[in-house]
Amino acid sequence: MTEMKRVYIETYGCQMNVADTDLIIGLLGRSGYTATDSPGEADVILVNTCAIRDNAEQRVYGRVGELKRYKRPGDVMGIVGCMAQRLGRTLLDRVPHVDFVAGPDGYRMLSELILRAGDGERSAEVGFKSWEHYEDVPPVPSNKVAAFVTVQRGCNYRCTFCVVPMTRGPERSRKLADVVREVERVAASGTTEVTLLGQTVNSYHDGVRDFADLLRAVGEVDGIRRVRFTSPHPNDFSHRVIEAMAQVPEVCEHVHLPMQSGSSRVLKRMLRRYTRESYLECVDRLRAAVPDLAITTDIIVGFPGETEDDFLATDSLVREVQFDNAFTFKYSVRDGTPAVKIREHVPDELAGERLERLIGTVREVARRKNANLVGSTHEVLVEKEARRGGLLQSRTRANKIVLIEGSAETIGSYRLVRLTGTTGSTFTGVPVAGRELAVLVE
Ligand code: 5AD
């Protein structure tokens, strides 16, 4: 009997990359590979990469350099994911110890690429396959408590700053029945929470069924107690989708709603297809339908031509919406995207200074909101051991992280906890006794 080959894979970037890594393990599993979490033991080393900003790519170069020392004679190293797709053969030229690159639609070829590398051939698999959903490949979930399920790949929006249409190709949705089958499979393994993934997930449409249908169908799967999704686009929140969110009890009270800028002028240049006013209107419709909805967002500062007034509009929209949290980024030029042609570069120092100010506002708004939650009681799902203090990390439906005491056996279970304190972003909590639980239910 031949010995099983071992594959080590390191993942950078978004949740979809995490899901793709699970898929790659599933794919390579069929060809006789097992996963290892130690690069030194691996016959195949893969890095699943992100191309969204330049610093994401720089990190990958650094890490790929470090991983070189684990590559023994006969071992194979590949770069996969968005950076591989974006750079193709150029990446092979730049990093001589890398044997192959494969983009997000090329993972079926991985075992072939590995074999070819064994023969000394360096390949780039970077064609788009607009039909590719890896439907026949059962992913191997790295997280047993909460699963990511990709429902849509690619993107048909053309936001001028964004590299994703170039790295993940055209938008395509899986058939509703196929998504439901995968959710049933993860539920059968004991997982109770799923996050549906897509670049503009609420534009999901399989030709017959839309995202509202999908939320309802996934919510009905036996054993699924929480449904999340990321990331939606404001323009795809139809009445039907918002109604489904409000009516399906499993859909959690949290939306990550990328805003990018609070200035209509900048939004127009970004080709986001909404204005400050219509973004706010979307937030109002969501909040009217789902009481206590937590809203988080993504914001870019320093987009070409952003003036001080534009920036102040972004800053004030953070206060107006009262975001629960925000990921804030300095604009990063991506080759080949339309924004490259806008010649009104914002100096790096100025963009950095705006980023600092914005982070200050985001923290202040979040801290006040979170402080108001201290004393309230929430259902949490216990996820894992916390990094510090022997505590467990758990999460509310509104996506707030709560550190609680408890034994590792409770991982995967639900608890009712009272929030006892906050750092401004995360919480501490204590389990609520049975008697109090009864009072709460009354
Ligand atoms: N520069 C900076 N941030 C970007 N994002 C996407 N493209 C860029 C870019 N070129 C941010 C957006 C998006 C998040 C995933 O990354 O805010 O929502």
Side-chain angles (χ1 to χ4, degrees):
M1 208 180 84
T2 53
E3 210 188 318
M4 292 275 270
K5 293 268 190 185
R6 275 175 288 207
V7 55
Y8 170 81
I9 176 159
E10 214 164 274
T11 311
Y12 292 86
C14 64
Q15 290 99 325
M16 195 168 288
N17 261 10
V18 175
D20 278 356
T21 289
D22 294 349
L23 198 68
I24 290 169
I25 299 293
L27 269 160
L28 288 179
R30 293 201 306 200
S31 307
Y33 292 86
T34 53
T36 170
D37 32 7
S38 134
E41 281 180 1
D43 306 287
V44 177
I45 298 175
L46 298 178
V47 183
N48 191 0
T49 60
C50 172
I52 199 83
R53 284 170 292 276
D54 183 58
N55 56 12
E57 294 196 351
Q58 294 313 321
R59 260 180 81 199
V60 167
Y61 282 123
R63 193 54 192 146
V64 167
E66 284 168 18
L67 287 170
K68 185 179 176 188
R69 67 188 157 107
Y70 297 109
K71 198 184 168 203
R72 304 159 303 188
D75 288 353
V76 171
M77 187 183 293
I79 301 186
V80 302
C82 287
M83 189 176 165
Q85 182 69 40
R86 190 178 91 74
L87 295 168
R89 287 216 157 264
T90 317
L91 202 45
L92 294 179
D93 298 339
R94 277 193 212 167
V95 195
H97 65 279
V98 168
D99 299 292
F100 66 84
V101 299
D105 286 346
Y107 299 153
R108 258 175 220 287
M109 286 294 290
L110 281 175
S111 57
E112 167 77 25
L113 298 177
I114 294 167
L115 287 180
R116 278 194 222 155
D119 294 337
E121 191 182 333
R122 299 176 80 212
S123 333
E125 183 67 28
V126 289
F128 286 134
K129 300 186 180 75
S130 59
W131 43 266
E132 183 60 279
H133 283 296
Y134 302 103
E135 215 52 82
D136 54 314
V137 185
V140 179
S142 46
N143 183 345
K144 294 275 175 219
V145 175
F148 291 132
V149 174
T150 302
V151 305
Q152 176 199 59
R153 302 180 77 87
C155 189
N156 280 354
Y157 279 84
R158 288 291 176 271
C159 303
T160 56
F161 51 80
C162 189
V163 77
V164 167
M166 299 166 65
T167 62
R168 285 189 170 269
E171 177 186 319
R172 66 216 93 137
S173 293
R174 291 173 72 182
K175 293 278 176 239
L176 181 136
D178 291 331
V179 175
V180 168
R181 200 171 312 118
E182 185 174 336
V183 174
E184 285 170 347
R185 211 173 59 89
V186 300
S189 76
T191 300
T192 60
E193 178 181 305
V194 290
T195 301
L196 308 178
L197 300 180
Q199 296 302 329
T200 54
V201 70
N202 52 342
S203 73
Y204 171 91
H205 205 290
D206 75 353
V208 185
R209 318 281 211 102
D210 69 358
F211 192 61
D213 294 323
L214 186 70
L215 287 178
R216 291 181 195 277
V218 169
E220 265 170 27
V221 171
D222 263 359
I224 294 300
R225 190 150 154 178
R226 287 181 169 188
V227 178
R228 305 181 184 278
F229 55 89
T230 199
S231 288
H233 188 284
N235 293 9
D236 294 307
F237 270 123
S238 63
H239 174 70
R240 280 173 53 80
V241 169
I242 294 182
E243 194 175 53
M245 288 170 63
Q247 289 176 352
V248 177
E250 291 80 11
V251 174
C252 290
E253 293 76 28
H254 169 234
V255 166
H256 183 71
L257 188 64
M259 153 184 138
Q260 313 302 2
S261 169
S263 155
S264 294
R265 204 181 69 90
V266 173
L267 287 167
K268 188 160 189 184
R269 291 176 159 209
M270 289 177 162
L271 200 62
R272 284 293 287 173
R273 305 165 201 244
Y274 54 82
T275 59
R276 176 190 180 93
E277 290 71 30
S278 63
Y279 182 89
L280 270 170
E281 203 184 303
C282 180
V283 167
D284 289 345
R285 288 164 59 228
L286 286 163
R287 284 198 168 135
V290 185
D292 294 326
L293 181 73
I295 305 185
T296 55
T297 199
D298 290 343
I299 305 171
I300 298 173
V301 299
F303 186 75
E306 182 189 73
T307 63
E308 176 67 13
D309 279 352
D310 292 322
F311 171 72
L312 291 175
T314 295
D315 195 71
S316 77
L317 194 53
V318 170
R319 287 184 200 280
E320 205 165 328
V321 175
Q322 291 282 298
F323 287 112
D324 289 80
N325 201 0
F327 297 111
T328 49
F329 309 105
K330 224 185 327 177
Y331 170 69
S332 168
V333 187
R334 308 317 287 132
D335 269 353
T337 59
V340 169
K341 301 202 188 85
I342 311 178
R343 295 254 170 258
E344 296 154 68
H345 176 72
V346 174
D348 193 58
E349 206 176 310
L350 183 56
E353 186 239 324
R354 285 179 186 163
L355 186 67
E356 289 305 311
R357 283 154 73 194
L358 186 64
I359 289 171
T361 303
V362 167
R363 288 211 178 122
E364 184 192 320
V365 168
R367 181 175 303 124
R368 195 171 317 132
K369 278 200 99 162
N370 287 334
N372 281 333
L373 287 173
V374 172
S376 60
T377 301
H378 299 262
E379 181 193 88
V380 295
L381 169 58
V382 184
E383 293 185 331
K384 57 182 180 188
E385 290 182 31
R387 258 179 253 146
R388 278 187 292 267
L391 297 170
L392 298 174
Q393 177 182 308
S394 70
R395 201 177 291 266
T396 70
R397 288 174 57 95
N399 214 36
K400 307 281 181 184
I401 289 175
V402 187
L403 300 181
I404 57 174
E405 274 180 18
S407 73
E409 283 117 66
T410 62
I411 290 172
S413 71
Y414 289 83
R415 289 278 177 280
L416 211 50
V417 300
R418 187 164 46 79
L419 304 181
T420 51
T422 179
T423 61
S425 60
T426 63
F427 293 86
T428 49
V430 291
V432 173
R435 195 171 51 83
E436 285 174 69
L437 201 158
V439 170
L440 197 98
V441 170
E442 259 171 16

